[in-house]
Amino acid sequence: MKSKKRGIALLLCALMTIMSVSVFAADNEDIMAAMNENITSANVKMTMEMGVSKISDELKTVFGVTGDVPKMSADYDMALKASEDELVMQMAMLAVVKIAGMADTNVEAYMDMDMRDAENPKMKYITKTDAFDKYIVMDYNDIPGAEAMLESLASYSPEKIKEMNEKLAEILPDKEFVLEDGVYTMTITEEEMKAMMTVMEDVFVQIFKGAKEMTGAAEGSDEELAAEFKETADKWFAALEGVKLFADDAVVVKATMDDDKHLATMDIEINLATNLNELIAAVKPLLETAVPDTADLTEEEKTALEEQKKAMDDQIAKITKENSDVEAYLKLSMEMSNVNGEVTVTFPELTDENSVDMKDLMIDESKINVLFNGIRVQFDDVEPIIEDERTLVPLRKFCNVIGITDENIGFEDGVITIKNGETTLVLTIDEIDVTKTVGETTETIKLDVPATIKNDRTLVPLRFVSENFDCNVTFEPIEGSTGSIISITK
């Protein structure tokens, strides 16, 4: 769940930036006043899109891409409100994530934060996606290491944004918007973008510190962590010196105002243009110094790591200067209303039936942890068991999790029938023969371990059922404990 926590923390940083939208000073007084306004409430509709606009057929082959490179986009509908100092904030968001060739994913997210008491900061985060039928409730104070991230967010204030603006104004004093047909436009070059990234060091330091502390990887004082980030950043900037990363129009910002001269819309487009061969050559020395410690690995794990490295090297060798020019983009379009006006943030009504605490979803090192699309499955009265090195799980609960409804699950006289789409499995308690039918084709398959009954619950082989209904399964023992992690993706 660590990656999820990092993602939430970075999202919150981004939201706080939106609430304090600002850019470096210029002479366009009205638009600059709107851009620098301390926004404490707003309804925001935002669209994000990222994609690749130029890539060679040879490079697509290297990455195993057939046809066009899939685009990703997301539509957000947010209600935000906060105190003037942004120590108190509420947010409700509905989003639809779209990836070409895949079903859309619907996301709900809610945040309630109060950091006025530095000794007892509070933040509750609620989320729900199509992959899990309950709201996941996260109280950051209940999660080890979360207080460090809360402290980082508390220091990410309008004052910090203002200070950053002043620094940006010093290095780019002549930048200003161009007004045409009511739209203010500013274009930032690659050189200007790189200069801006150095000025935004304080922001990146906070994210760096928070992410490391959330994952338990932080060592040393705040000053030492900041110094570690600066040392790492300096190495990367030095390595990338002279390497083209952005297009000539590296960043294009467009904005409009409403009748009250509040910010009404803002479009930000980041355009990348690089040569992957040159980029890899520049950063490869840095990557080679970050070799993982293999002292505690088994010989089998070391061999697997070496094979992965060889496969990566073989892939990199196919990326030549001639075939690796790439252009990509990230677009953010925001439409704002009720700026600093009356905004209602509505939270879902939570019950024991429709919600679960994040603590209950975190990995238990003493148990068999079954994850479906990254979410730990909560089994009720019967937990998964292992027999002859095969994992068995409760029939109905597990089938529901992977998308099979109750009406497609049958049990009569020791015979289990599971249907989904054109596939039907017929298993018999304590027998290894299974009948599998796909369309009009039927075959008999022998199991390593049969379905069984424990504590009046029917259990079926996890991997067999998963893989026959188009799921991928990976198994990972938890080092130093009796537990394990079984990840299922669909």
Side-chain angles (χ1 to χ4, degrees), residues 20-77:
S20 303
V21 173
S22 48
V23 294
F24 41 89
D27 294 332
N28 322 50
E29 292 184 2
D30 287 344
I31 188 62
M32 292 314 304
M35 295 284 283
N36 286 284
E37 182 178 14
N38 185 24
I39 298 175
T40 58
S41 62
N43 291 104
V44 181
K45 291 185 181 296
M46 182 169 71
T47 297
M48 179 198 74
E49 180 184 329
M50 62 177 68
V52 176
S53 50
K54 177 182 177 181
I55 184 172
S56 69
D57 290 337
E58 294 93 330
L59 202 55
K60 286 197 288 186
T61 300
V62 171
F63 293 126
V65 176
T66 56
D68 295 332
V69 179
K71 294 180 181 179
M72 174 183 172
S73 66
D75 297 323
Y76 301 87
D77 191 347

Side-chain angles (χ1 to χ4, degrees), residues 183-199:
V183 178
Y184 292 85
T185 303
M186 178 185 290
T187 300
I188 299 170
T189 66
E190 177 168 25
E191 292 72 20
E192 292 168 340
M193 182 63 177
K194 289 181 177 179
M196 290 172 62
M197 290 172 68
T198 62
V199 170

Side-chain angles (χ1 to χ4, degrees), residues 179-251:
L179 175 61
E180 185 175 350
D181 297 329
V183 178
Y184 292 85
T185 303
M186 178 185 290
T187 300
I188 299 170
T189 66
E190 177 168 25
E191 292 72 20
E192 292 168 340
M193 182 63 177
K194 289 181 177 179
M196 290 172 62
M197 290 172 68
T198 62
V199 170
M200 296 172 67
E201 181 179 295
D202 287 348
V203 176
F204 296 137
V205 165
Q206 292 296 339
I207 297 173
F208 174 79
K209 285 167 55 182
K212 292 204 73 170
E213 287 167 336
M214 284 292 289
T215 58
E219 296 180 0
S221 65
D222 286 354
E223 292 75 16
E224 289 170 331
L225 285 171
E228 180 186 349
F229 171 82
K230 189 174 189 316
E231 180 182 358
T232 302
D234 287 346
K235 288 179 180 177
W236 281 86
F237 276 118
L240 294 171
E241 183 70 29
V243 177
K244 183 175 176 58
L245 299 177
F246 297 94
D248 293 338
D249 53 345
V251 180

Side-chain angles (χ1 to χ4, degrees), residues 388-406:
D388 294 334
E389 300 183 352
R390 293 292 182 266
T391 303
L392 302 174
V393 288
L395 166 67
R396 194 169 300 276
K397 173 69 176 183
F398 181 73
C399 286
N400 289 167
V401 165
I402 65 173
I404 301 172
T405 57
D406 285 347

